[in-house]
Amino acid sequence: MAAPRTSLRLVAAIWSTRGIHGRGGAATPEGSQKKGKTLLQFLSDRFYDVEFLREYFLQRQMLKVHQKNRSFTHMVEQYGPYIVGACFILDQGGMVKFQNNDWIGPKERGRFALEFSKFQEVSVEAVDASGCAINYEGLDNLLLLRNLQSLSLRHCPHVDDWCLSRLYPLASSLQELSLAGCPHISERGLACLHHLPNLRKLDISDLPAVSNPGLTQILMEEMLPNCEILGASWAQGLNVEPEEQPQDKASPVHV
Amino acid sequence: MLRRVLRLASGRALVARALSTRRGGSTPDRDGKVSEIKKKIQSILPGEPWNPLYDTSHLPPERSDVVIVGGGVLGLSVAYWLKKLENRRGAIQVLVVERDHTYSQASTALSIGGIRQQFSLPENIQLSLFSANFLRNINEYLAVVDAPPLDLQFNPLGYLLLASEKGAATMESNVKVQRQEGAKVCLMSPEQLQNKFPWINTKGVALASYGMENEGWFDPWCLLQGLRRKVQSMGVLFCQGEVTRFISSSSHMKTTSGKEVTLKRIYEVHVKMDHSMEYQPVECALVINAAGAWSGQVAELAGIGKGPPGTLQGTRLPVEPRKRYVYLWHCPQGPGLEAPLVTDMSGAYFRREGLGNNYLGGLSPIEEEEPDPGNLEVDYDFFQDKVWPPLAQRVPAFETLKVRSAWAGYYDYNTFDQNGVVGPHPLVVNMYFAAGFSGHGLQQAPGVGRAVAEMVLEGHFQTIDLSPFLFSRFYLGEKIQEHVII
């Protein structure tokens, strides 16, 4: 009786993990580890072939991200840095704003492709790469945009602390930076933003890897005195009892 | 009524006792036997190692292609690259022998985990750049199916090296080499330094070099465990024990000039098990000496350095343990979030640890004041007398601080030229070295592991040419001095 029941459970498990190819090896959320053993896990524990296949698929996923972030820098001589940088961002599915122009999104790529020669001398002033698969290598292309004033990297799954340490070439121009929702950014990478003294606005809300959001924000404000930092409230990360949590802003906080 | 109940209960207990005594005269003894029989039955079942005479599952295998002495980060890195670069899955059998699986005295676990490109030798810079690339993509290199991703805790804040009037010229030429190799290092004048880091006192500073990319510090334990996990999944065997003896054969030859040469070849390694006298001879084709601070002793076991002085036989591996202290202090007014790892010209260094205004730091003592490396006890007076004064002078906020704790660890110090030894020994032909990195072994381990694996598999260095680090330099007296040792 017991045997068929376990097999039933395993069958159910395989259906629930259909999305196994969907999650990247590097970006595996830790929560998914807590689920029970799936059939694939069970099989790969016992058969080398299954384990090997799964490893192969994992490697292929990572390769895909690398290919998406390959360097466009060989095109710089022909088209100029702004076109190449904009092409890269549009290719990734982000949006670009040239100086004195409207936002160009992936939908208007056709129009951009037709008249891109017009933009060759115009610098890019804003980039919105929300949700793009940019990683450390892809930044090569982004850093070509020397007059970039506003950069949004919201919810980018592959942006990490190493990437933040690489933004310093944009120090002279960058004024706005949004890092909200990036799963791999921690306070260690945020500390590197002291290379960007011209920042006026920084969004660091919703960063799950930051261990102490409130304290981090205070320290960031100390480090970048001219910058408005959005994000965590000071009480975030403190263990405030639910009944003690300030319900209305006017009442004093009991600590 | 009550009495009757009591009597009944005691009666039942008596019956139960009688039953139990009848069932088994000596219960624990029998249980032991039963479990032993169960074990035997289990071991006979297909798929299990069956040895009818005695159980040897705790011993290392009787033969292994490669035996790596030392399971620290260097040894594991060599194992990783050997398995990674083998041309067929499972082609090489690798055994890693580690004395202490808790790594209580291992340099890897006690290091502060810095990585920098600010060296004076091009090879060291290349190694470090390679390692930075490895660490950046650590979750791709060390990805294991179904294992959670590694969190390396890398702090990309860079190293800040200070130079006085005297050292400025050397620093400038070093930075030139570093830039040639592709490291992103910038030079700063005292004024720029003051602007950037207002908490530094620039008195006596003539020049500062600051690493912009790929420099900082990380969690060495995470790298070690990640490598261990990956290497295990690749089929490398581990064994907790100590190498006590090498058994080698020797062949005598004559050079063209008529000189007699004795070439040795290790064919068996005796691995003594932990906490017992039991040992297992392991037949092997290659031995890799990655024993860190104790690699000099391991080399001596293989007969290296036992010969008339001045000859190649008599050339020792000049690696010995040196004790280095690391202190952790609290300073509420200390440098903020942006503080890099600062190294003063006196050699004292510090870095931030966490967000709570805690700092880590230390200093390498001068040659005459080397502490006894016999134990890992900390000398707190050393902080008071030697480390604190230069730091407090450099960062005035450190004048008021409180030492929270301290620990000591070993450098695998190469007394000859403070650089690593990589590659085979010229006379003991199948012993390869990966040791003697004098404090920068952790950060270069991925690169060194690859270089050794290439040497073993291909016979020459491919990715990074480390031929200046070969053993023969000790005999020839060719020092390749590294100037930037922290």
Side-chain angles (χ1 to χ4, degrees):
Chain A
M1 191 59 215
R5 198 178 284 168
T6 46
S7 68
L8 265 179
R9 203 191 64 214
L10 287 168
V11 171
I14 192 177
W15 285 112
S16 68
T17 55
R18 261 287 158 101
I20 194 87
H21 306 302
R23 57 182 167 100
T28 313
E30 261 167 51
S32 73
Q33 299 300 326
K34 286 173 193 152
K35 280 186 207 159
K37 267 200 166 184
T38 63
L39 179 59
L40 272 179
Q41 269 171 323
F42 177 82
L43 286 175
S44 54
D45 281 353
R46 278 160 182 77
F47 298 98
Y48 282 124
D49 313 341
V50 180
E51 194 190 0
F52 181 73
L53 265 176
R54 290 189 62 191
E55 208 172 318
Y56 171 74
F57 283 121
L58 207 77
Q59 297 287 348
R60 244 186 44 176
Q61 271 170 28
M62 295 175 200
L63 204 68
K64 235 184 214 167
V65 177
H66 280 292
Q67 271 175 353
K68 248 194 150 177
N69 282 290
R70 67 196 180 278
S71 178
F72 284 24
T73 38
H74 57 279
M75 288 155 47
V76 169
E77 273 181 31
Q78 208 175 346
Y79 300 108
Y82 302 122
I83 297 285
V84 173
C87 265
F88 169 72
I89 297 295
L90 290 175
D91 200 41
Q92 289 261 346
M95 309 222 289
V96 196
K97 187 174 183 297
F98 283 90
Q99 215 158 22
N100 309 323
N101 269 290
D102 289 338
W103 282 97
I104 301 174
K107 278 182 191 159
E108 292 100 53
R109 256 185 92 182
R111 187 170 67 85
F112 175 69
L114 283 177
E115 48 191 51
F116 77 90
S117 55
K118 201 180 85 187
F119 293 114
Q120 217 151 12
E121 297 304 316
V122 189
S123 64
V124 175
E125 64 174 21
V127 164
D128 180 4
S130 303
C132 294
I134 288 188
N135 70 1
Y136 184 87
E137 288 148 32
L139 279 182
D140 266 347
N141 304 314
L142 193 64
L143 294 176
L144 293 169
L145 309 170
R146 279 304 146 103
N147 291 321
L148 196 65
Q149 287 169 12
S150 163
L151 175 62
S152 169
L153 296 169
R154 302 169 71 90
H155 300 283
C156 290
H158 300 291
V159 168
D160 54 9
D161 295 340
W162 294 81
C163 296
L164 294 190
S165 70
R166 245 196 127 184
L167 291 178
Y168 67 91
L170 302 173
S172 56
S173 63
L174 199 63
Q175 291 177 2
E176 275 182 42
L177 180 62
S178 173
L179 302 169
C182 294
H184 291 303
I185 288 182
S186 72
E187 69 274 12
R188 297 177 284 275
L190 290 176
C192 282
L193 297 180
H194 75 100
H195 286 302
L196 309 172
N198 295 330
L199 269 189
R200 295 284 165 271
K201 206 171 165 189
L202 176 65
D203 189 353
I204 54 166
S205 54
D206 190 22
L207 298 176
V210 173
S211 57
N212 203 333
L215 180 59
T216 306
Q217 182 164 5
I218 293 172
L219 290 170
M220 292 289 291
E221 276 165 2
E222 232 168 65
M223 194 173 78
L224 296 166
N226 301 326
C227 179
E228 182 197 348
I229 293 171
L230 304 173
S233 69
W234 63 270
Q236 204 178 330
L238 293 180
N239 280 330
V240 183
E241 294 291 314
E243 63 266 26
E244 276 185 312
Q245 229 159 18
Q247 290 296 317
D248 108 34
K249 292 264 161 71
S251 70
V253 184
H254 308 283
V255 181
Chain B
M1 181 69 189
L2 186 72
R3 218 176 280 162
R4 251 174 76 189
V5 169
L6 268 177
R7 206 185 299 148
L8 250 178
S10 61
R12 216 174 260 166
L14 267 177
V15 172
R17 209 179 300 151
L19 268 176
S20 75
T21 46
R22 207 172 49 183
R23 223 186 263 157
S26 48
T27 329
D29 202 40
R30 220 183 142 105
D31 278 355
K33 265 183 193 158
V34 167
S35 71
E36 211 169 87
I37 290 169
K38 263 189 189 166
K39 230 182 180 175
K40 258 184 195 159
I41 291 173
Q42 258 173 7
S43 72
I44 294 170
L45 284 173
E48 303 290 336
W50 182 50
N51 196 328
L53 295 174
Y54 45 85
D55 182 24
T56 55
S57 56
H58 63 287
L59 289 175
E62 280 172 33
R63 50 186 71 81
S64 173
D65 296 330
V66 179
V67 174
I68 298 176
V69 187
V73 79
L74 268 165
L76 292 182
S77 165
V78 174
Y80 170 76
W81 284 110
L82 275 174
K83 293 302 275 184
K84 182 100 176 163
L85 299 177
E86 66 187 359
N87 49 11
R88 184 168 54 79
R89 235 172 122 81
I92 308 169
Q93 207 181 35
V94 181
L95 171 72
V96 176
V97 181
E98 166 61 42
R99 190 162 52 170
D100 177 13
H101 273 183
T102 61
Y103 294 96
S104 60
Q105 299 203 330
S107 315
T108 308
L110 297 170
S111 147
I112 67 159
I115 177 165
R116 63 185 160 121
Q117 280 85 51
Q118 298 184 45
F119 289 102
S120 61
L121 277 177
E123 286 82 11
N124 278 335
I125 303 166
Q126 285 167 12
L127 277 174
S128 182
L129 277 171
F130 181 89
S131 302
N133 186 43
F134 183 91
L135 295 178
R136 187 165 56 240
N137 298 315
I138 188 166
N139 276 314
E140 291 172 26
Y141 282 110
L142 304 184
V144 178
V145 174
D146 286 334
L150 295 167
D151 180 16
L152 194 64
Q153 310 232 340
F154 180 65
N155 279 271
L157 287 168
Y159 270 60
L160 179 69
L161 266 55
L162 307 178
S164 60
E165 215 47 79
K166 215 167 63 185
T170 322
M171 176 175 275
E172 226 177 320
S173 64
N174 286 349
V175 169
K176 213 178 199 175
V177 179
Q178 287 151 19
R179 284 190 183 150
Q180 260 172 13
E181 299 297 336
K184 303 281 187 293
V185 182
C186 72
L187 284 171
M188 288 201 280
S189 68
E191 294 78 46
Q192 284 169 318
L193 185 64
Q194 188 76 63
N195 277 338
K196 187 106 188 146
F197 303 114
W199 36 263
I200 282 190
N201 172 13
T202 55
K203 197 180 151 203
V205 177
L207 197 65
S209 68
Y210 182 38
M212 307 291 280
E213 267 180 50
N214 295 332
E215 291 200 342
W217 56 91
F218 61 92
D219 178 13
W221 187 249
C222 170
L223 176 64
L224 186 73
Q225 290 306 317
L227 273 170
R228 224 180 128 86
R229 196 175 79 180
K230 178 70 184 173
V231 157
Q232 237 160 1
S233 83
M234 288 167 122
V236 170
L237 296 174
F238 283 85
C239 151
Q240 178 160 5
E242 202 177 334
V243 170
T244 50
R245 207 174 150 198
F246 292 109
I247 297 177
S248 48
S249 61
S250 48
S251 50
H252 302 278
M253 290 181 204
K254 264 189 184 161
T255 58
T256 42
S257 53
K259 233 169 135 189
E260 191 125 320
V261 177
T262 313
L263 289 180
K264 270 186 167 180
R265 188 169 192 92
I266 300 167
Y267 65 88
E268 219 172 70
V269 179
H270 283 192
V271 180
K272 186 176 96 57
M273 302 316 293
D274 200 32
H275 297 305
S276 85
M277 296 297 286
E278 198 176 13
Y279 72 86
Q280 166 87 26
V282 181
E283 271 179 61
C284 63
L286 278 177
V287 176
I288 287 161
N289 182 353
W294 299 273
S295 49
Q297 292 173 21
V298 174
E300 224 161 88
L301 283 180
I304 293 168
K306 282 182 187 160
T311 59
L312 194 50
Q313 284 96 331
T315 311
R316 285 177 48 245
L317 178 70
V319 177
E320 57 182 49
R322 290 275 170 98
K323 192 157 83 168
R324 293 287 181 270
Y325 307 117
V326 181
Y327 300 92
L328 174 76
W329 65 85
H330 179 70
C331 173
Q333 302 304 320
L337 208 56
E338 76 278 12
L341 196 150
V342 181
T343 307
D344 189 42
M345 43 262 211
S346 60
Y349 66 88
F350 76 90
R351 70 162 168 87
R352 184 169 60 75
E353 171 73 9
L355 297 174
N357 280 324
N358 289 321
Y359 301 88
L360 279 182
L363 171 72
S364 293
I366 51 172
E367 196 77 21
E368 292 80 46
E369 291 176 3
E370 280 293 347
D372 166 40
N375 55 34
L376 280 177
E377 266 160 37
V378 178
D379 179 9
Y380 283 90
D381 294 335
F382 184 73
F383 183 79
Q384 291 289 337
D385 303 339
K386 302 282 170 187
V387 186
W388 191 19
L391 282 181
Q393 201 218 347
R394 191 53 60 214
V395 182
F398 283 156
E399 269 161 20
T400 50
L401 58 79
K402 188 169 178 0
V403 177
R404 281 261 171 94
S405 67
W407 74 86
Y410 290 122
Y411 268 26
D412 49 341
Y413 199 79
N414 177 354
T415 51
F416 185 71
D417 57 6
Q418 287 83 50
N419 264 313
V421 190
V422 176
H425 186 271
L427 290 180
V428 184
V429 285
N430 60 348
M431 175 172 264
Y432 286 68
F433 297 105
F437 281 85
S438 318
H440 47 266
L442 172 68
Q443 56 176 302
Q444 298 186 340
V448 173
R450 180 159 188 151
V452 173
E454 282 170 358
M455 196 67 182
V456 168
L457 298 172
E458 311 286 338
H460 57 93
F461 296 117
Q462 282 179 323
T463 320
I464 303 170
D465 183 18
L466 292 183
S467 35
F469 288 173
L470 286 172
F471 182 89
S472 47
R473 73 177 192 269
F474 303 128
Y475 170 63
L476 301 170
E478 292 166 356
K479 281 193 185 187
I480 42 160
Q481 201 76 42
E482 172 60 56
H483 298 293
V484 196
I485 288 291
I486 296 175

